[in-house]
Amino acid sequence: GHNNLNAKLVLLGDMGAGKSSLVLRFVKGQFLEFQESTIGAAFFSQTLAVDDVTVKFEIWDTAGQERYHSLAPMYYRGAAAAIIVYDITSADSFTRAKKWVQELQKQGNANMVMALAGNKADLEEKRKVTAEEARAYADENGLFFMETSAKTAANVNDIFHEIAKRLPRA
Ligand code: GDP
Ligand code: MG
């Protein structure tokens, strides 16, 4: 039979890592070279069919700046899934991503599906974070890992699809 599943999903990560761009690519199939930075948070929804289940993602795209940090729990509390985004050309953004993972491990849902997205994978010539390092970190911390590009669309649908497959079925 056919089942519907609603899943609250939050994107966390450094400002500029490409959270909004990943959402825009997933929801609208678009990319903007000059994506405006997010104020507070923005909400989107998108459905995805996986096997015999239609997953309706309720997506919270957060701002990422330190001054909005205190708001983050509102968005990750009760979330079934999180995508922690860093920029492969920025070691600082990877450090920041690890801080978000720690916070979610302490304060988030115990059974939250967590994905680590190494975004801007199209900028190989500017890479600062290797895929090996990120994959090892993800494996140690119970996340799954993909490198993505909101610009070329590489792995963008795939990461949402993989999350949908891993969500606990009602
Ligand atoms: P956010 O602050 O995490 O929401 O990041 P944005 O989505 O606003 O993106 C910040 C900047 O990076 C924008 O200028 C985007 O066009 C650019 N950007 C986002 N994703 C990619 C990507 O995959 N590749 C490249 N080359 N640029 C990207
Ligand atoms: Mg944004």
Side-chain angles (χ1 to χ4, degrees):
H2 209 85
N3 299 302
N4 294 314
L5 191 61
N6 283 11
K8 179 177 171 183
L9 179 150
V10 64
L11 287 102
L12 297 166
D14 215 357
M15 180 186 174
K19 300 175 296 298
S20 298
S21 298
L22 288 169
V23 175
L24 184 68
R25 173 60 78 187
F26 175 57
V27 173
K28 295 193 179 146
Q30 295 172 0
F31 176 76
L32 301 171
E33 289 287 347
F34 303 98
Q35 174 66 40
E36 280 179 41
S37 66
T38 309
I39 297 171
F43 178 79
F44 301 84
S45 84
Q46 176 73 326
T47 59
L48 200 60
V50 189
D51 308 322
D52 62 343
V53 181
T54 299
V55 177
K56 183 182 181 197
F57 282 116
E58 294 156 353
I59 302 169
W60 285 100
D61 169 24
T62 65
Q65 291 99 315
E66 207 44 60
R67 69 190 140 110
Y68 294 117
H69 194 150
S70 62
L71 299 179
M74 288 204 307
Y75 302 108
Y76 65 68
R77 201 176 292 136
I83 304 178
I84 298 96
V85 184
Y86 69 94
D87 169 353
I88 69 155
T89 75
S90 161
D92 282 353
S93 77
F94 186 54
T95 301
R96 187 85 188 91
K98 292 192 255 187
K99 295 225 169 78
W100 280 117
V101 172
Q102 280 177 3
E103 180 165 342
L104 291 178
Q105 285 169 339
K106 277 199 216 154
Q107 321 275 357
N109 271 341
N111 55 359
M112 188 185 280
V113 176
M114 285 198 266
L116 181 66
N119 191 45
K120 308 197 189 181
D122 56 290
L123 298 178
E124 183 59 43
E125 70 285 1
K126 293 185 180 165
R127 177 189 289 275
K128 294 289 181 332
V129 183
T130 67
E132 292 70 27
E133 178 184 6
R135 177 164 295 109
Y137 176 79
D139 288 348
E140 281 163 24
N141 286 277
L143 292 81
F144 76 91
F145 168 66
M146 285 189 187
E147 287 195 344
T148 57
S149 170
K151 184 168 182 171
T152 67
N155 273 346
V156 177
N157 285 345
D158 311 65
I159 201 165
F160 285 93
H161 195 266
E162 187 61 32
I163 289 168
K165 283 206 310 201
R166 290 174 183 236
L167 289 171
R169 298 292 184 257

